[in-house]
Amino acid sequence: MLRSILALLFFTTLFTACKSDNNSEEFINSSSGRYLFNANETIEVYFKDNVLFVKWRNKELKPLKVNDSTFYVREMNEKLIFNTSHNQIQLAPKREHHDIKYVFAKLKLGEKTPKEHLNDNNYEKALEGYLAIQKKDSLSKIIRQRTLNRLGYAYLRDHETTKAIHVFKINTILYPKSSNAFDSLGDAYLKNNDTLNAIENFEKALTINSENRGSRKKLNELTKKEMKQE
């Protein structure tokens, strides 16, 4: 009997939610926009025929409306609670959050994440963004040396050499004592047929760590080529 009542309540709630997919014009105007999911990733909220949609990690998601300010996103297994007066989205508390409050602030018009600046080849703004993240949280996963290194080589594989150089340069600024960071920057310059800058960065890598065999090998090969050309 209890199971039947609970099931009835669930389907009643679900039916009510599905019936009220439409949202008010005021809510649409105040909630539409991009929100900072983390320091380098966004959630975009938009509407089609008054129905709320979310773009997250390049996927279009249609949340289930719970009430006028709360929406359940199945793919995230999270409830988004809109606080339009503060331009925020908050995740509904649950046990898995371990008492951590997750709040996503709405971005201003034209405001971008560091990675978005990288995609626009805006090196200065990207650097500024990554330095701000480092200042706020030096242990952030977003600015880990290996994270940026992987991103740089991903750009290289996609033949986006300029972006790769920008990422690796940022890595050397964030981690000026890393031999590997300068070695990677040397690789990017080498891929870009910029031998002089490649040599300079392989030399910096060796100055930091004379046991960096990869940098030593590449530097020797480039030096021999230079000597032959002379």
Side-chain angles (χ1 to χ4, degrees):
M1 181 68 177
L2 179 60
R3 287 183 180 179
S4 299
I5 293 172
L6 289 174
L8 180 62
L9 286 172
F10 173 78
F11 285 111
T12 301
T13 303
L14 182 63
F15 178 72
T16 303
C18 292
K19 276 184 66 179
S20 57
D21 268 354
N22 285 349
N23 298 275
S24 69
E25 185 176 348
E26 181 183 355
F27 179 77
I28 291 172
N29 292 334
S30 57
S31 61
S32 296
R34 301 195 316 139
Y35 296 77
L36 206 57
F37 182 70
N38 59 45
N40 213 22
E41 190 176 2
T42 64
I43 293 178
E44 184 179 356
V45 175
Y46 54 98
F47 293 80
K48 295 180 180 180
D49 297 324
N50 295 337
V51 176
L52 184 143
F53 286 84
V54 168
K55 186 174 183 181
W56 182 62
R57 295 181 176 172
N58 296 318
K59 294 179 180 179
E60 183 181 74
L61 312 177
K62 183 184 177 183
L64 175 67
K65 185 174 180 179
V66 179
N67 57 45
D68 286 343
S69 62
T70 305
F71 297 78
Y72 174 70
V73 185
R74 179 177 56 82
E75 293 82 356
M76 295 180 175
N77 191 26
E78 300 284 0
K79 285 182 182 177
L80 307 182
I81 303 173
F82 286 80
N83 185 341
T84 54
S85 61
H86 288 83
N87 290 322
Q88 293 177 344
I89 298 175
Q90 183 174 332
L91 294 187
K94 65 179 187 179
R95 184 175 56 189
E96 291 83 352
H97 294 168
H98 303 291
D99 295 325
I100 299 173
K101 291 184 178 180
Y102 291 94
V103 178
F104 312 137
K106 191 174 184 179
L107 292 171
K108 296 176 183 177
L109 189 64
E111 191 176 356
K112 297 181 180 181
T113 65
K115 189 175 180 181
E116 287 172 334
H117 285 304
L118 278 175
N119 288 333
D120 292 340
N121 280 319
N122 192 333
Y123 167 73
E124 296 297 336
K125 283 290 185 180
L127 174 60
E128 183 182 313
Y130 281 112
L131 287 172
I133 295 171
Q134 186 185 52
K135 184 177 180 180
K136 184 177 181 180
D137 180 9
S138 61
L139 299 179
S140 171
K141 295 179 181 179
I142 294 164
I143 58 164
R144 284 178 181 172
Q145 185 182 161
R146 64 176 177 270
T147 300
L148 290 171
N149 213 47
R150 285 198 298 266
L151 177 61
Y153 280 110
Y155 281 134
L156 276 186
R157 286 192 297 273
D158 292 338
H159 307 290
E160 296 188 90
T161 313
T162 300
K163 290 185 176 70
I165 290 172
H166 287 167
V167 174
F168 291 136
K169 282 174 70 176
I170 289 168
N171 222 8
T172 62
I173 292 170
L174 296 178
Y175 303 97
K177 296 182 180 179
S178 169
S179 177
N180 186 58
F182 285 98
D183 178 77
S184 297
L185 181 54
D187 283 343
Y189 278 122
L190 191 58
K191 184 81 171 179
N192 203 40
N193 297 316
D194 188 343
T195 304
L196 290 178
N197 274 313
I199 289 173
E200 180 182 339
N201 281 280
F202 291 139
E203 287 176 340
K204 286 181 181 177
L206 287 167
T207 299
I208 296 168
N209 178 15
S210 60
E211 300 299 318
N212 190 325
R213 295 181 180 178
S215 291
R216 176 71 65 189
K217 180 182 178 182
K218 286 175 279 193
L219 184 60
N220 287 339
E221 290 174 352
L222 287 173
T223 304
K224 287 178 183 177
K225 286 183 180 179
E226 290 290 304
M227 291 176 64
K228 285 181 180 179
Q229 288 176 359
E230 291 177 359

PDB file of all heavy atoms in Angstrom, residues 44-75:
ATOM      1  N   GLU A  44      25.846  27.114 -19.880  1.00  0.00           N
ATOM      2  CA  GLU A  44      25.036  28.119 -20.577  1.00  0.00           C
ATOM      3  C   GLU A  44      23.558  27.777 -20.433  1.00  0.00           C
ATOM      4  O   GLU A  44      23.144  26.644 -20.698  1.00  0.00           O
ATOM      5  CB  GLU A  44      25.414  28.179 -22.052  1.00  0.00           C
ATOM      6  CG  GLU A  44      24.671  29.270 -22.812  1.00  0.00           C
ATOM      7  CD  GLU A  44      25.051  29.345 -24.275  1.00  0.00           C
ATOM      8  OE1 GLU A  44      25.945  28.595 -24.705  1.00  0.00           O
ATOM      9  OE2 GLU A  44      24.435  30.158 -24.997  1.00  0.00           O
ATOM     10  N   VAL A  45      22.777  28.748 -20.025  1.00  0.00           N
ATOM     11  CA  VAL A  45      21.332  28.574 -19.851  1.00  0.00           C
ATOM     12  C   VAL A  45      20.613  29.378 -20.929  1.00  0.00           C
ATOM     13  O   VAL A  45      20.878  30.566 -21.105  1.00  0.00           O
ATOM     14  CB  VAL A  45      20.883  29.058 -18.452  1.00  0.00           C
ATOM     15  CG1 VAL A  45      19.362  28.985 -18.323  1.00  0.00           C
ATOM     16  CG2 VAL A  45      21.551  28.237 -17.362  1.00  0.00           C
ATOM     17  N   TYR A  46      19.725  28.720 -21.657  1.00  0.00           N
ATOM     18  CA  TYR A  46      18.968  29.403 -22.700  1.00  0.00           C
ATOM     19  C   TYR A  46      17.598  28.752 -22.826  1.00  0.00           C
ATOM     20  O   TYR A  46      17.323  27.717 -22.188  1.00  0.00           O
ATOM     21  CB  TYR A  46      19.716  29.376 -24.037  1.00  0.00           C
ATOM     22  CG  TYR A  46      20.128  28.005 -24.500  1.00  0.00           C
ATOM     23  CD1 TYR A  46      19.358  27.303 -25.426  1.00  0.00           C
ATOM     24  CD2 TYR A  46      21.293  27.409 -24.030  1.00  0.00           C
ATOM     25  CE1 TYR A  46      19.735  26.036 -25.860  1.00  0.00           C
ATOM     26  CE2 TYR A  46      21.680  26.149 -24.453  1.00  0.00           C
ATOM     27  CZ  TYR A  46      20.896  25.472 -25.367  1.00  0.00           C
ATOM     28  OH  TYR A  46      21.263  24.217 -25.780  1.00  0.00           O
ATOM     29  N   PHE A  47      16.732  29.334 -23.642  1.00  0.00           N
ATOM     30  CA  PHE A  47      15.355  28.875 -23.720  1.00  0.00           C
ATOM     31  C   PHE A  47      14.930  28.688 -25.169  1.00  0.00           C
ATOM     32  O   PHE A  47      15.325  29.445 -26.053  1.00  0.00           O
ATOM     33  CB  PHE A  47      14.420  29.874 -23.035  1.00  0.00           C
ATOM     34  CG  PHE A  47      14.635  29.959 -21.534  1.00  0.00           C
ATOM     35  CD1 PHE A  47      15.684  30.724 -21.023  1.00  0.00           C
ATOM     36  CD2 PHE A  47      13.817  29.266 -20.676  1.00  0.00           C
ATOM     37  CE1 PHE A  47      15.892  30.795 -19.655  1.00  0.00           C
ATOM     38  CE2 PHE A  47      14.018  29.336 -19.298  1.00  0.00           C
ATOM     39  CZ  PHE A  47      15.061  30.099 -18.787  1.00  0.00           C
ATOM     40  N   LYS A  48      14.106  27.671 -25.381  1.00  0.00           N
ATOM     41  CA  LYS A  48      13.461  27.429 -26.667  1.00  0.00           C
ATOM     42  C   LYS A  48      11.965  27.305 -26.406  1.00  0.00           C
ATOM     43  O   LYS A  48      11.546  26.418 -25.649  1.00  0.00           O
ATOM     44  CB  LYS A  48      13.989  26.145 -27.312  1.00  0.00           C
ATOM     45  CG  LYS A  48      15.456  26.172 -27.698  1.00  0.00           C
ATOM     46  CD  LYS A  48      15.853  24.845 -28.333  1.00  0.00           C
ATOM     47  CE  LYS A  48      17.306  24.818 -28.748  1.00  0.00           C
ATOM     48  NZ  LYS A  48      17.687  23.512 -29.360  1.00  0.00           N
ATOM     49  N   ASP A  49      11.195  28.193 -27.013  1.00  0.00           N
ATOM     50  CA  ASP A  49       9.742  28.197 -26.796  1.00  0.00           C
ATOM     51  C   ASP A  49       9.414  28.198 -25.301  1.00  0.00           C
ATOM     52  O   ASP A  49       8.556  27.428 -24.825  1.00  0.00           O
ATOM     53  CB  ASP A  49       9.086  26.987 -27.479  1.00  0.00           C
ATOM     54  CG  ASP A  49       9.256  27.016 -28.987  1.00  0.00           C
ATOM     55  OD1 ASP A  49       9.220  28.127 -29.554  1.00  0.00           O
ATOM     56  OD2 ASP A  49       9.442  25.945 -29.579  1.00  0.00           O
ATOM     57  N   ASN A  50      10.127  29.039 -24.567  1.00  0.00           N
ATOM     58  CA  ASN A  50       9.921  29.219 -23.119  1.00  0.00           C
ATOM     59  C   ASN A  50      10.357  28.028 -22.269  1.00  0.00           C
ATOM     60  O   ASN A  50      10.113  28.000 -21.062  1.00  0.00           O
ATOM     61  CB  ASN A  50       8.463  29.552 -22.793  1.00  0.00           C
ATOM     62  CG  ASN A  50       8.050  30.894 -23.371  1.00  0.00           C
ATOM     63  OD1 ASN A  50       8.897  31.743 -23.637  1.00  0.00           O
ATOM     64  ND2 ASN A  50       6.759  31.078 -23.564  1.00  0.00           N
ATOM     65  N   VAL A  51      10.999  27.041 -22.881  1.00  0.00           N
ATOM     66  CA  VAL A  51      11.472  25.864 -22.142  1.00  0.00           C
ATOM     67  C   VAL A  51      12.972  25.988 -21.910  1.00  0.00           C
ATOM     68  O   VAL A  51      13.735  26.327 -22.824  1.00  0.00           O
ATOM     69  CB  VAL A  51      11.157  24.559 -22.905  1.00  0.00           C
ATOM     70  CG1 VAL A  51      11.726  23.346 -22.178  1.00  0.00           C
ATOM     71  CG2 VAL A  51       9.651  24.417 -23.086  1.00  0.00           C
ATOM     72  N   LEU A  52      13.406  25.707 -20.675  1.00  0.00           N
ATOM     73  CA  LEU A  52      14.813  25.877 -20.301  1.00  0.00           C
ATOM     74  C   LEU A  52      15.685  24.740 -20.827  1.00  0.00           C
ATOM     75  O   LEU A  52      15.330  23.557 -20.717  1.00  0.00           O
ATOM     76  CB  LEU A  52      14.939  25.967 -18.778  1.00  0.00           C
ATOM     77  CG  LEU A  52      16.334  26.237 -18.202  1.00  0.00           C
ATOM     78  CD1 LEU A  52      16.244  27.145 -16.987  1.00  0.00           C
ATOM     79  CD2 LEU A  52      17.040  24.931 -17.811  1.00  0.00           C
ATOM     80  N   PHE A  53      16.833  25.113 -21.393  1.00  0.00           N
ATOM     81  CA  PHE A  53      17.852  24.168 -21.821  1.00  0.00           C
ATOM     82  C   PHE A  53      19.195  24.596 -21.230  1.00  0.00           C
ATOM     83  O   PHE A  53      19.407  25.765 -20.903  1.00  0.00           O
ATOM     84  CB  PHE A  53      17.965  24.125 -23.345  1.00  0.00           C
ATOM     85  CG  PHE A  53      16.836  23.402 -24.018  1.00  0.00           C
ATOM     86  CD1 PHE A  53      15.643  24.058 -24.288  1.00  0.00           C
ATOM     87  CD2 PHE A  53      16.967  22.072 -24.391  1.00  0.00           C
ATOM     88  CE1 PHE A  53      14.593  23.404 -24.900  1.00  0.00           C
ATOM     89  CE2 PHE A  53      15.918  21.405 -25.012  1.00  0.00           C
ATOM     90  CZ  PHE A  53      14.726  22.071 -25.273  1.00  0.00           C
ATOM     91  N   VAL A  54      20.084  23.633 -21.115  1.00  0.00           N
ATOM     92  CA  VAL A  54      21.421  23.884 -20.575  1.00  0.00           C
ATOM     93  C   VAL A  54      22.454  23.306 -21.532  1.00  0.00           C
ATOM     94  O   VAL A  54      22.298  22.174 -22.009  1.00  0.00           O
ATOM     95  CB  VAL A  54      21.588  23.230 -19.182  1.00  0.00           C
ATOM     96  CG1 VAL A  54      23.043  23.230 -18.762  1.00  0.00           C
ATOM     97  CG2 VAL A  54      20.758  23.967 -18.138  1.00  0.00           C
ATOM     98  N   LYS A  55      23.492  24.093 -21.825  1.00  0.00           N
ATOM     99  CA  LYS A  55      24.618  23.571 -22.598  1.00  0.00           C
ATOM    100  C   LYS A  55      25.781  23.381 -21.642  1.00  0.00           C
ATOM    101  O   LYS A  55      26.246  24.325 -21.003  1.00  0.00           O
ATOM    102  CB  LYS A  55      25.017  24.529 -23.726  1.00  0.00           C
ATOM    103  CG  LYS A  55      26.102  23.945 -24.640  1.00  0.00           C
ATOM    104  CD  LYS A  55      26.375  24.858 -25.818  1.00  0.00           C
ATOM    105  CE  LYS A  55      27.410  24.226 -26.748  1.00  0.00           C
ATOM    106  NZ  LYS A  55      27.717  25.121 -27.891  1.00  0.00           N
ATOM    107  N   TRP A  56      26.238  22.144 -21.539  1.00  0.00           N
ATOM    108  CA  TRP A  56      27.309  21.796 -20.606  1.00  0.00           C
ATOM    109  C   TRP A  56      28.217  20.764 -21.251  1.00  0.00           C
ATOM    110  O   TRP A  56      27.769  19.744 -21.728  1.00  0.00           O
ATOM    111  CB  TRP A  56      26.699  21.248 -19.319  1.00  0.00           C
ATOM    112  CG  TRP A  56      27.686  20.891 -18.242  1.00  0.00           C
ATOM    113  CD1 TRP A  56      28.543  21.724 -17.609  1.00  0.00           C
ATOM    114  CD2 TRP A  56      27.884  19.597 -17.665  1.00  0.00           C
ATOM    115  NE1 TRP A  56      29.282  21.039 -16.671  1.00  0.00           N
ATOM    116  CE2 TRP A  56      28.882  19.728 -16.681  1.00  0.00           C
ATOM    117  CE3 TRP A  56      27.312  18.339 -17.883  1.00  0.00           C
ATOM    118  CZ2 TRP A  56      29.333  18.643 -15.916  1.00  0.00           C
ATOM    119  CZ3 TRP A  56      27.756  17.267 -17.119  1.00  0.00           C
ATOM    120  CH2 TRP A  56      28.751  17.427 -16.162  1.00  0.00           C
ATOM    121  N   ARG A  57      29.511  21.100 -21.306  1.00  0.00           N
ATOM    122  CA  ARG A  57      30.506  20.218 -21.922  1.00  0.00           C
ATOM    123  C   ARG A  57      30.082  19.788 -23.325  1.00  0.00           C
ATOM    124  O   ARG A  57      30.098  18.613 -23.692  1.00  0.00           O
ATOM    125  CB  ARG A  57      30.771  19.006 -21.019  1.00  0.00           C
ATOM    126  CG  ARG A  57      31.406  19.426 -19.704  1.00  0.00           C
ATOM    127  CD  ARG A  57      31.709  18.291 -18.776  1.00  0.00           C
ATOM    128  NE  ARG A  57      32.402  18.804 -17.590  1.00  0.00           N
ATOM    129  CZ  ARG A  57      32.683  18.090 -16.501  1.00  0.00           C
ATOM    130  NH1 ARG A  57      32.328  16.814 -16.453  1.00  0.00           N
ATOM    131  NH2 ARG A  57      33.318  18.646 -15.485  1.00  0.00           N
ATOM    132  N   ASN A  58      29.669  20.799 -24.103  1.00  0.00           N
ATOM    133  CA  ASN A  58      29.300  20.647 -25.512  1.00  0.00           C
ATOM    134  C   ASN A  58      28.064  19.774 -25.731  1.00  0.00           C
ATOM    135  O   ASN A  58      27.837  19.266 -26.836  1.00  0.00           O
ATOM    136  CB  ASN A  58      30.474  20.081 -26.323  1.00  0.00           C
ATOM    137  CG  ASN A  58      31.660  21.022 -26.335  1.00  0.00           C
ATOM    138  OD1 ASN A  58      31.496  22.232 -26.471  1.00  0.00           O
ATOM    139  ND2 ASN A  58      32.859  20.471 -26.184  1.00  0.00           N
ATOM    140  N   LYS A  59      27.262  19.598 -24.688  1.00  0.00           N
ATOM    141  CA  LYS A  59      26.024  18.828 -24.830  1.00  0.00           C
ATOM    142  C   LYS A  59      24.826  19.707 -24.489  1.00  0.00           C
ATOM    143  O   LYS A  59      24.866  20.468 -23.527  1.00  0.00           O
ATOM    144  CB  LYS A  59      26.044  17.608 -23.900  1.00  0.00           C
ATOM    145  CG  LYS A  59      27.096  16.573 -24.252  1.00  0.00           C
ATOM    146  CD  LYS A  59      27.058  15.415 -23.270  1.00  0.00           C
ATOM    147  CE  LYS A  59      28.118  14.374 -23.613  1.00  0.00           C
ATOM    148  NZ  LYS A  59      28.107  13.251 -22.629  1.00  0.00           N
ATOM    149  N   GLU A  60      23.768  19.569 -25.292  1.00  0.00           N
ATOM    150  CA  GLU A  60      22.524  20.275 -24.993  1.00  0.00           C
ATOM    151  C   GLU A  60      21.662  19.388 -24.108  1.00  0.00           C
ATOM    152  O   GLU A  60      21.320  18.264 -24.489  1.00  0.00           O
ATOM    153  CB  GLU A  60      21.771  20.628 -26.280  1.00  0.00           C
ATOM    154  CG  GLU A  60      20.496  21.422 -25.999  1.00  0.00           C
ATOM    155  CD  GLU A  60      19.724  21.766 -27.253  1.00  0.00           C
ATOM    156  OE1 GLU A  60      19.096  20.839 -27.817  1.00  0.00           O
ATOM    157  OE2 GLU A  60      19.741  22.934 -27.657  1.00  0.00           O
ATOM    158  N   LEU A  61      21.330  19.884 -22.921  1.00  0.00           N
ATOM    159  CA  LEU A  61      20.565  19.121 -21.956  1.00  0.00           C
ATOM    160  C   LEU A  61      19.229  19.814 -21.694  1.00  0.00           C
ATOM    161  O   LEU A  61      19.157  21.039 -21.667  1.00  0.00           O
ATOM    162  CB  LEU A  61      21.342  18.994 -20.636  1.00  0.00           C
ATOM    163  CG  LEU A  61      22.807  18.562 -20.742  1.00  0.00           C
ATOM    164  CD1 LEU A  61      23.463  18.560 -19.366  1.00  0.00           C
ATOM    165  CD2 LEU A  61      22.913  17.183 -21.388  1.00  0.00           C
ATOM    166  N   LYS A  62      18.187  19.004 -21.500  1.00  0.00           N
ATOM    167  CA  LYS A  62      16.874  19.551 -21.174  1.00  0.00           C
ATOM    168  C   LYS A  62      16.511  19.098 -19.757  1.00  0.00           C
ATOM    169  O   LYS A  62      16.050  17.976 -19.548  1.00  0.00           O
ATOM    170  CB  LYS A  62      15.808  19.083 -22.168  1.00  0.00           C
ATOM    171  CG  LYS A  62      14.435  19.688 -21.887  1.00  0.00           C
ATOM    172  CD  LYS A  62      13.376  19.127 -22.827  1.00  0.00           C
ATOM    173  CE  LYS A  62      11.995  19.696 -22.482  1.00  0.00           C
ATOM    174  NZ  LYS A  62      10.929  19.117 -23.330  1.00  0.00           N
ATOM    175  N   PRO A  63      16.725  19.973 -18.764  1.00  0.00           N
ATOM    176  CA  PRO A  63      16.399  19.598 -17.383  1.00  0.00           C
ATOM    177  C   PRO A  63      14.900  19.445 -17.161  1.00  0.00           C
ATOM    178  O   PRO A  63      14.081  20.008 -17.897  1.00  0.00           O
ATOM    179  CB  PRO A  63      16.949  20.780 -16.562  1.00  0.00           C
ATOM    180  CG  PRO A  63      17.888  21.505 -17.482  1.00  0.00           C
ATOM    181  CD  PRO A  63      17.327  21.300 -18.856  1.00  0.00           C
ATOM    182  N   LEU A  64      14.559  18.681 -16.139  1.00  0.00           N
ATOM    183  CA  LEU A  64      13.171  18.514 -15.743  1.00  0.00           C
ATOM    184  C   LEU A  64      12.817  19.606 -14.740  1.00  0.00           C
ATOM    185  O   LEU A  64      13.501  19.775 -13.722  1.00  0.00           O
ATOM    186  CB  LEU A  64      12.964  17.143 -15.100  1.00  0.00           C
ATOM    187  CG  LEU A  64      11.583  16.847 -14.515  1.00  0.00           C
ATOM    188  CD1 LEU A  64      10.540  16.779 -15.623  1.00  0.00           C
ATOM    189  CD2 LEU A  64      11.599  15.561 -13.709  1.00  0.00           C
ATOM    190  N   LYS A  65      11.773  20.354 -15.021  1.00  0.00           N
ATOM    191  CA  LYS A  65      11.377  21.436 -14.126  1.00  0.00           C
ATOM    192  C   LYS A  65      10.712  20.871 -12.881  1.00  0.00           C
ATOM    193  O   LYS A  65       9.731  20.125 -12.960  1.00  0.00           O
ATOM    194  CB  LYS A  65      10.432  22.394 -14.849  1.00  0.00           C
ATOM    195  CG  LYS A  65      10.062  23.623 -14.023  1.00  0.00           C
ATOM    196  CD  LYS A  65       9.240  24.598 -14.839  1.00  0.00           C
ATOM    197  CE  LYS A  65       8.882  25.824 -14.022  1.00  0.00           C
ATOM    198  NZ  LYS A  65       8.104  26.801 -14.797  1.00  0.00           N
ATOM    199  N   VAL A  66      11.241  21.236 -11.715  1.00  0.00           N
ATOM    200  CA  VAL A  66      10.690  20.797 -10.438  1.00  0.00           C
ATOM    201  C   VAL A  66       9.721  21.849  -9.906  1.00  0.00           C
ATOM    202  O   VAL A  66       8.621  21.547  -9.466  1.00  0.00           O
ATOM    203  CB  VAL A  66      11.815  20.526  -9.416  1.00  0.00           C
ATOM    204  CG1 VAL A  66      11.237  20.097  -8.063  1.00  0.00           C
ATOM    205  CG2 VAL A  66      12.775  19.460  -9.946  1.00  0.00           C
ATOM    206  N   ASN A  67      10.172  23.105  -9.932  1.00  0.00           N
ATOM    207  CA  ASN A  67       9.301  24.230  -9.601  1.00  0.00           C
ATOM    208  C   ASN A  67       9.815  25.450 -10.359  1.00  0.00           C
ATOM    209  O   ASN A  67      10.683  25.315 -11.229  1.00  0.00           O
ATOM    210  CB  ASN A  67       9.226  24.472  -8.085  1.00  0.00           C
ATOM    211  CG  ASN A  67      10.588  24.713  -7.464  1.00  0.00           C
ATOM    212  OD1 ASN A  67      11.396  25.472  -7.993  1.00  0.00           O
ATOM    213  ND2 ASN A  67      10.858  24.073  -6.323  1.00  0.00           N
ATOM    214  N   ASP A  68       9.327  26.632 -10.051  1.00  0.00           N
ATOM    215  CA  ASP A  68       9.669  27.822 -10.835  1.00  0.00           C
ATOM    216  C   ASP A  68      11.149  28.207 -10.773  1.00  0.00           C
ATOM    217  O   ASP A  68      11.609  28.989 -11.602  1.00  0.00           O
ATOM    218  CB  ASP A  68       8.821  29.017 -10.372  1.00  0.00           C
ATOM    219  CG  ASP A  68       7.385  28.900 -10.849  1.00  0.00           C
ATOM    220  OD1 ASP A  68       7.137  28.100 -11.779  1.00  0.00           O
ATOM    221  OD2 ASP A  68       6.515  29.600 -10.293  1.00  0.00           O
ATOM    222  N   SER A  69      11.884  27.683  -9.807  1.00  0.00           N
ATOM    223  CA  SER A  69      13.301  28.051  -9.700  1.00  0.00           C
ATOM    224  C   SER A  69      14.238  26.857  -9.637  1.00  0.00           C
ATOM    225  O   SER A  69      15.459  27.020  -9.616  1.00  0.00           O
ATOM    226  CB  SER A  69      13.529  28.926  -8.453  1.00  0.00           C
ATOM    227  OG  SER A  69      13.200  28.206  -7.282  1.00  0.00           O
ATOM    228  N   THR A  70      13.704  25.643  -9.652  1.00  0.00           N
ATOM    229  CA  THR A  70      14.525  24.439  -9.490  1.00  0.00           C
ATOM    230  C   THR A  70      14.332  23.491 -10.667  1.00  0.00           C
ATOM    231  O   THR A  70      13.203  23.224 -11.084  1.00  0.00           O
ATOM    232  CB  THR A  70      14.164  23.709  -8.179  1.00  0.00           C
ATOM    233  OG1 THR A  70      14.276  24.622  -7.084  1.00  0.00           O
ATOM    234  CG2 THR A  70      15.088  22.521  -7.947  1.00  0.00           C
ATOM    235  N   PHE A  71      15.462  22.978 -11.172  1.00  0.00           N
ATOM    236  CA  PHE A  71      15.439  22.086 -12.334  1.00  0.00           C
ATOM    237  C   PHE A  71      16.386  20.913 -12.076  1.00  0.00           C
ATOM    238  O   PHE A  71      17.507  21.100 -11.596  1.00  0.00           O
ATOM    239  CB  PHE A  71      15.874  22.834 -13.601  1.00  0.00           C
ATOM    240  CG  PHE A  71      14.949  23.952 -13.982  1.00  0.00           C
ATOM    241  CD1 PHE A  71      14.998  25.166 -13.312  1.00  0.00           C
ATOM    242  CD2 PHE A  71      14.018  23.784 -14.992  1.00  0.00           C
ATOM    243  CE1 PHE A  71      14.140  26.210 -13.643  1.00  0.00           C
ATOM    244  CE2 PHE A  71      13.146  24.814 -15.334  1.00  0.00           C
ATOM    245  CZ  PHE A  71      13.211  26.033 -14.655  1.00  0.00           C
ATOM    246  N   TYR A  72      15.918  19.724 -12.436  1.00  0.00           N
ATOM    247  CA  TYR A  72      16.739  18.526 -12.249  1.00  0.00           C
ATOM    248  C   TYR A  72      17.419  18.168 -13.566  1.00  0.00           C
ATOM    249  O   TYR A  72      16.764  17.993 -14.600  1.00  0.00           O
ATOM    250  CB  TYR A  72      15.894  17.346 -11.773  1.00  0.00           C
ATOM    251  CG  TYR A  72      16.667  16.049 -11.695  1.00  0.00           C
ATOM    252  CD1 TYR A  72      17.649  15.865 -10.725  1.00  0.00           C
ATOM    253  CD2 TYR A  72      16.429  15.020 -12.602  1.00  0.00           C
ATOM    254  CE1 TYR A  72      18.382  14.685 -10.658  1.00  0.00           C
ATOM    255  CE2 TYR A  72      17.146  13.831 -12.545  1.00  0.00           C
ATOM    256  CZ  TYR A  72      18.124  13.670 -11.569  1.00  0.00           C
ATOM    257  OH  TYR A  72      18.849  12.506 -11.511  1.00  0.00           O
ATOM    258  N   VAL A  73      18.758  18.044 -13.527  1.00  0.00           N
ATOM    259  CA  VAL A  73      19.540  17.671 -14.710  1.00  0.00           C
ATOM    260  C   VAL A  73      19.973  16.224 -14.542  1.00  0.00           C
ATOM    261  O   VAL A  73      20.856  15.913 -13.732  1.00  0.00           O
ATOM    262  CB  VAL A  73      20.772  18.587 -14.886  1.00  0.00           C
ATOM    263  CG1 VAL A  73      21.489  18.245 -16.181  1.00  0.00           C
ATOM    264  CG2 VAL A  73      20.357  20.049 -14.880  1.00  0.00           C
ATOM    265  N   ARG A  74      19.356  15.343 -15.291  1.00  0.00           N
ATOM    266  CA  ARG A  74      19.612  13.913 -15.151  1.00  0.00           C
ATOM    267  C   ARG A  74      21.068  13.566 -15.425  1.00  0.00           C
ATOM    268  O   ARG A  74      21.673  12.748 -14.724  1.00  0.00           O
ATOM    269  CB  ARG A  74      18.698  13.127 -16.116  1.00  0.00           C
ATOM    270  CG  ARG A  74      18.899  11.613 -16.079  1.00  0.00           C
ATOM    271  CD  ARG A  74      17.914  10.920 -17.007  1.00  0.00           C
ATOM    272  NE  ARG A  74      18.016  11.428 -18.363  1.00  0.00           N
ATOM    273  CZ  ARG A  74      18.931  11.016 -19.242  1.00  0.00           C
ATOM    274  NH1 ARG A  74      19.819  10.111 -18.905  1.00  0.00           N
ATOM    275  NH2 ARG A  74      18.951  11.518 -20.458  1.00  0.00           N
ATOM    276  N   GLU A  75      21.652  14.180 -16.450  1.00  0.00           N
ATOM    277  CA  GLU A  75      23.031  13.845 -16.834  1.00  0.00           C
ATOM    278  C   GLU A  75      24.039  14.213 -15.741  1.00  0.00           C
ATOM    279  O   GLU A  75      25.127  13.645 -15.668  1.00  0.00           O
ATOM    280  CB  GLU A  75      23.406  14.562 -18.137  1.00  0.00           C
ATOM    281  CG  GLU A  75      22.637  14.073 -19.358  1.00  0.00           C
ATOM    282  CD  GLU A  75      21.248  14.693 -19.488  1.00  0.00           C
ATOM    283  OE1 GLU A  75      20.838  15.461 -18.585  1.00  0.00           O
ATOM    284  OE2 GLU A  75      20.568  14.406 -20.493  1.00  0.00           O
TER     285      GLU A  75
END
